[in-house]
Amino acid sequence: MIAPALTLALTLAMAAPVQAAIAPSTPQALRAAQQFGACVADTSTAKASETLAQDFRTPAYRRAMDVLVEVNRGCPSFRGYSRMRVSRLLFAGAVAERLIERDGRPVNVALARAAAGPVAASYSPSDAAAMCVVRSVPDDVAKLFATDVATPEEGGAADALKPVFSRCLQDRPVEVNADGLRAMLATAAFRSIHAAMARKS
């Protein structure tokens, strides 16, 4: 995803690898972000869903994300999250994962059913690639989401998805860490499922 508010920068030169530069986060910080994101999704479900369905490039999205953080200061995990250096993308990804889980359906099933319909909107080249991945290999994406953050299992599941991500970017090389890839796929997965559910309502 390309958006200053998400602190994610991508270089898409034809001869250069695609790079997702996210400020380094410690395992403790990643776990704090995941816990806080889950609490936000559980406490402010409707607002979180409405926010993550928006175009993340807009000021309205950034303001809504700030509001989600502020109104959920009561989450037990807020103090740990607020002390850590974690990008907004990772926070958004954590919220997205929990929103998907709350649906109750197996993640791979929800993604596969969403992929049977029209593709949801995407807002950058890397976001389009993430959308391509979640629609192409739902089982592998679900395996990634089933791992704990900052673990060797997460790294292995993310590494298995990088070739698919590269193919979705027209075979450009990809340089992205596991937590960055997970967050990109989580936000794309949420929008894919959300769009499919909206079409049914």
Side-chain angles (χ1 to χ4, degrees):
M1 297 179 181
I2 300 177
L6 299 181
T7 62
L8 180 68
L10 290 176
T11 303
L12 289 172
M14 290 301 294
V18 174
Q19 295 179 324
I22 299 176
S25 298
T26 65
Q28 183 182 8
L30 294 171
R31 286 190 288 270
Q34 198 75 5
Q35 291 165 4
F36 181 56
C39 181
V40 169
D42 288 340
T43 306
S44 302
T45 306
K47 182 62 176 175
S49 296
E50 177 187 345
T51 299
L52 290 188
Q54 296 178 26
D55 181 345
F56 57 75
R57 300 168 300 181
T58 65
Y61 173 88
R62 294 191 289 272
R63 287 193 299 270
M65 290 292 286
D66 289 342
V67 169
L68 279 175
V69 172
E70 185 61 28
V71 301
N72 285 286
R73 293 171 67 91
C75 283
S77 49
F78 172 77
R79 181 172 296 180
Y81 170 80
S82 64
R83 290 200 302 259
M84 302 297 176
R85 186 185 181 193
V86 181
S87 78
R88 286 189 183 182
L89 173 62
L90 300 185
F91 168 61
V95 176
E97 276 196 54
R98 180 59 181 155
L99 289 173
I100 294 169
E101 292 171 1
R102 285 179 59 87
D103 180 57
R105 291 179 296 171
V107 174
N108 60 334
V109 172
L111 287 172
R113 289 180 178 172
V119 63
S122 55
Y123 304 109
S124 74
S126 59
D127 187 37
M131 190 67 70
C132 167
V133 172
V134 302
R135 289 171 62 86
S136 300
V137 287
D139 290 343
D140 292 337
V141 172
K143 288 177 183 177
L144 173 61
F145 294 168
T147 65
D148 292 329
V149 297
T151 62
E153 291 76 17
E154 179 192 52
D159 285 344
L161 286 164
K162 288 179 182 179
V164 186
F165 195 85
S166 177
R167 287 197 296 274
C168 286
L169 278 167
Q170 299 179 347
D171 291 322
R172 292 186 178 92
V174 176
E175 295 179 10
V176 59
N177 54 26
D179 43 290
L181 180 61
R182 181 174 188 152
M184 285 191 285
L185 294 178
T187 54
F190 169 78
R191 281 186 284 109
S192 182
I193 294 170
H194 183 271
M197 293 177 66
R199 287 193 296 269
K200 292 182 179 180
S201 61

